[in-house]
């Protein structure tokens, strides 16, 4: 009677299991939700502008003049695409506090079911937080604060515009905070050994 070797070759061993990741703190979940919703008001404001709803800062015709043949269809497509990209990018913040931020959903071709590389997720989210912070805090609102104003008072239209775009100021800092929380969950601080 011969005995066969049942051990798998080293190349067929399953990867080592990842240690369990603690759940996200409640504050990080709430911050991710606020970040995900922060792009909605400005998107709705832009859609209202294209549809001809008076928004007070810019007239529809003035906005359409920037498109070939003053095309409302092209302007609407642009606004919807811009809104969809912003919404999708802000929605990714939720991945830092949801299970699909730890393991790729099964429906994603080639990657489904695989663990998310936490280091890459942290890098991408950190770059995203830096980008949207600079975009909204420095370029957009910084430009508004330093621009010449034709009159010293603020109109109702300007107040509506600021109310629609002000939530974007939250996006970058909240994304940075949630990214830090995600990093801490995957790379907990190890207690220092006595005498080291």
């Amino acid at each position: 009677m011969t005995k066969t070797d049942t051990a798998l070759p080293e190349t067929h061993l399953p990867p080592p299991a990842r240690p369990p990741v603690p759940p996200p703190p409640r504050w990080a979940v709430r911050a991710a939700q606020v970040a995900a919703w922060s792009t909605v008001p400005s998107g709705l404001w832009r859609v209202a502008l294209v549809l001809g709803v008076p928004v007070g800062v810019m007239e529809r015709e003035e906005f359409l003049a920037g498109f070939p043949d003053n095309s409302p269809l092209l302007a609407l497509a642009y606004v919807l695409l811009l809104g969809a990209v912003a919404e999708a990018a802000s929605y990714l913040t939720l991945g830092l506090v949801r299970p699909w931020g730890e393991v790729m959903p099964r429906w994603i071709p080639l990657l489904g079911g695989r663990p998310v590389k936490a280091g890459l997720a942290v890098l991408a989210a950190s770059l995203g937080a830096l980008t949207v912070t600079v975009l909204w805090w420095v370029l957009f609102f910084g430009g508004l604060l330093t621009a010449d104003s034709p009159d010293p008072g603020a109109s109702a239209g300007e107040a509506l515009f600021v109310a629609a775009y002000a939530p974007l100021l939250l996006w970058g800092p909240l994304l940075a905070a949630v990214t830090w929380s995600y990093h801490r969950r995957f790379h907990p601080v190890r207690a220092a050994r006595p005498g080291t």
Side-chain angles (χ1 to χ4, degrees):
M1 180 173 184
T2 61
K3 194 171 190 180
T4 58
D5 187 14
T6 57
L8 292 174
E10 194 172 310
T11 57
H12 290 82
L13 292 176
R18 183 190 300 190
V21 178
R26 190 174 300 150
W27 70 262
V29 174
R30 288 198 178 114
Q33 292 167 343
V34 171
W37 282 96
S38 67
T39 56
V40 172
S42 59
L44 292 175
W45 185 91
R46 286 189 302 271
V47 170
L49 173 68
V50 172
L51 294 178
V53 176
V55 291
V57 174
M58 179 185 292
E59 296 298 323
R60 179 178 189 236
E61 290 71 28
E62 184 183 349
F63 180 73
L64 294 178
F67 295 90
D69 301 324
N70 296 338
S71 170
L73 189 58
L74 188 59
L76 183 60
Y78 165 77
V79 163
L80 291 177
L81 179 64
L82 182 64
V85 168
E87 277 300 309
S90 66
Y91 182 76
L92 288 175
T93 307
L94 293 174
L96 300 171
V97 295
R98 299 272 169 86
W100 52 271
E102 297 172 21
V103 177
M104 291 283 192
R106 294 239 177 246
W107 57 266
I108 297 178
L110 304 174
L111 298 174
R114 293 186 182 186
V116 171
K117 294 194 183 295
L120 288 177
V122 168
L123 177 64
S126 298
L127 291 174
L130 178 64
T131 301
V132 296
T133 299
V134 168
L135 177 68
W136 295 113
W137 279 87
V138 177
L139 300 179
F140 188 75
F141 278 99
L144 284 179
L145 293 174
T146 59
D148 293 333
S149 179
D151 59 47
S155 69
E158 290 169 332
L160 176 63
F161 174 79
V162 170
Y165 277 82
L168 292 171
L169 293 172
L170 299 173
W171 185 8
L174 289 176
L175 176 55
V178 175
T179 302
W180 177 80
S181 170
Y182 180 87
H183 171 73
R184 295 296 299 254
R185 286 173 46 224
F186 279 86
H187 302 95
V189 176
R190 289 168 181 75
R193 292 182 194 165
T196 56

